[in-house]
Amino acid sequence: MPDLKLFAVSFLFLIEFAWEPLTAADDAEVARLLPQMLEGEADPLDFERVFAHVAFAGLDDALAASVVKRARSVSKIEYATEREILRSTAAALVIAWVDQIVDFYQARLPWPLGERVRQVLDLAAKHTTGVVLWATPTDTRGCLGSAALAARAKANANPSEADLAGALLRLDFEGRGSALLETSDGTGLALDALHYALGGDPAAIDKASIVRNPKVWVAAARARDPFGDDQLLIASGLDGQGLGRAQRVELTQNTRYWGDRNQYHATYYGIDTVVDSDAIPAMSVMPLDAARWRYVDDLLVAPV
């Protein structure tokens, strides 16, 4: 059997050379990106940057008025593809700001992304600003730098559950020690989970908090040790793959046949990934298709 862990680590090592930092979107960039988002021509990472800007600074009224007619038209489209879901999300943002209503079916998006989108739409509908989102990525891999997250934790010590979990799942490995020192004085669910994800002392964690907030602590455990089982969560009752135990996959090798009008005996060998779904409890919260939204799903699945 191939050494999957070596393959996964090698793959992550290779993509380290292909990423670029992401800057925060300003008013001018939002004005450029929003029409593209409505037409399905923007990258999912651009959606993250625009939503982060709206949560903190709001949406320009003139810009919203200029695209609201198109947004209402887009909102009526059937959402059969990922592209159309992205378009409908952009439309919902504009409509929320202009009409001050939220018309969005968040179940179309995997957790925690759908809940994070809903949070920003609620802020837009109320014209609430000044909210620093935790989970907005800081590079084109979709990862989140430890230093940036530490700064966001100082600016907003109480992110939503989904925003907190999304941030932890995107947390990069570089600079964790420094980020832990910078946030060591804070307390509360968000900072406790962040400290644990950064490598903090398990003895400082309240097991009752783990029971009350399983989604957050599963995300913290995966960020802390993506390929390992977490004994603290297991001891707290979250014993299962995709929970305290890292979700695992196994490989099977198959022989497949194909043919054309001249022959039918050619073969090739394929390797299929099979998820051990029987061992994943219903409360498992980490979707395997999260890579579509630039979550680093390589960090959510531990090979055997």
Side-chain angles (χ1 to χ4, degrees):
M1 178 181 293
D3 188 338
L4 285 186
K5 188 167 185 177
L6 177 61
F7 172 79
V9 172
S10 300
F11 176 74
L12 291 173
F13 176 78
L14 288 174
I15 66 173
E16 287 286 332
F17 296 97
W19 65 273
E20 297 178 356
L22 285 177
T23 58
D26 56 18
D27 286 338
E29 193 159 18
V30 171
R32 178 182 65 84
L33 288 172
L34 192 54
Q36 296 179 15
M37 292 162 60
L38 290 169
E39 302 307 324
E41 298 171 354
D43 188 275
L45 291 176
D46 292 328
F47 280 73
E48 291 275 1
R49 296 167 64 222
V50 169
F51 270 64
H53 177 83
V54 171
F56 185 74
L59 190 60
D60 181 75
D61 289 329
L63 171 62
S66 70
V67 296
V68 69
K69 182 177 179 180
R70 181 56 176 159
R72 290 181 177 129
S73 176
V74 170
S75 69
K76 299 175 183 178
I77 297 175
E78 295 295 330
Y79 313 115
T81 67
E82 181 179 296
R83 177 175 178 270
E84 300 309 327
I85 292 174
L86 287 169
R87 295 180 69 194
S88 72
T89 303
L93 178 64
V94 175
I95 293 171
W97 185 266
V98 173
D99 296 339
Q100 296 184 298
I101 60 172
V102 175
D103 182 14
F104 181 72
Y105 182 50
Q106 70 189 58
R108 288 194 299 261
L109 302 179
W111 196 92
L113 182 62
E115 192 172 324
R116 290 182 56 237
V117 168
R118 179 64 187 233
Q119 176 192 1
V120 177
L121 295 180
D122 287 340
L123 293 173
K126 298 174 183 176
H127 285 205
T128 300
T129 58
V131 177
V132 176
L133 299 182
W134 276 36
T136 308
T138 55
D139 65 47
T140 53
R141 297 171 300 174
C143 292
L144 172 54
S146 300
L149 183 52
R152 293 172 187 176
K154 292 181 179 180
N156 176 14
N158 295 293
S160 69
E161 179 186 62
D163 195 34
L164 169 58
L168 297 177
L169 291 175
R170 284 177 161 161
L171 189 58
D172 198 1
F173 289 98
E174 296 294 328
R176 290 191 172 192
S178 298
L180 181 59
L181 290 175
E182 289 180 25
T183 59
S184 59
D185 294 336
T187 59
L189 172 62
L191 289 175
D192 287 348
L194 175 58
H195 296 160
Y196 190 67
L198 291 169
D201 184 6
I205 303 303
D206 179 10
K207 290 185 179 179
S209 175
I210 297 175
V211 175
R212 290 193 304 267
N213 308 280
K215 295 180 180 180
V216 168
W217 288 102
V218 170
R222 295 284 67 77
R224 181 184 177 95
D225 184 3
F227 296 132
D229 297 337
D230 190 283
Q231 298 306 317
L232 178 62
L233 267 64
I234 293 172
S236 301
L238 298 183
D239 186 359
Q241 292 194 40
L243 296 173
R245 300 185 187 279
Q247 191 160 301
R248 286 170 166 79
V249 299
E250 58 185 23
L251 295 187
T252 57
Q253 180 170 286
N254 299 316
T255 304
R256 298 181 180 179
Y257 300 88
W258 64 276
D260 54 28
R261 60 181 63 178
N262 296 321
Q263 63 180 23
Y264 186 70
H265 54 78
T267 64
Y268 70 90
Y269 295 89
I271 296 179
D272 294 334
T273 302
V274 179
V275 180
D276 186 7
S277 58
D278 293 337
I280 303 173
M283 66 180 296
S284 180
V285 297
M286 305 308 160
L288 293 177
D289 63 349
R292 296 185 307 157
W293 299 93
R294 303 301 179 89
Y295 285 94
V296 188
D297 68 327
D298 306 86
L299 304 184
L300 309 185
V301 181
V304 291

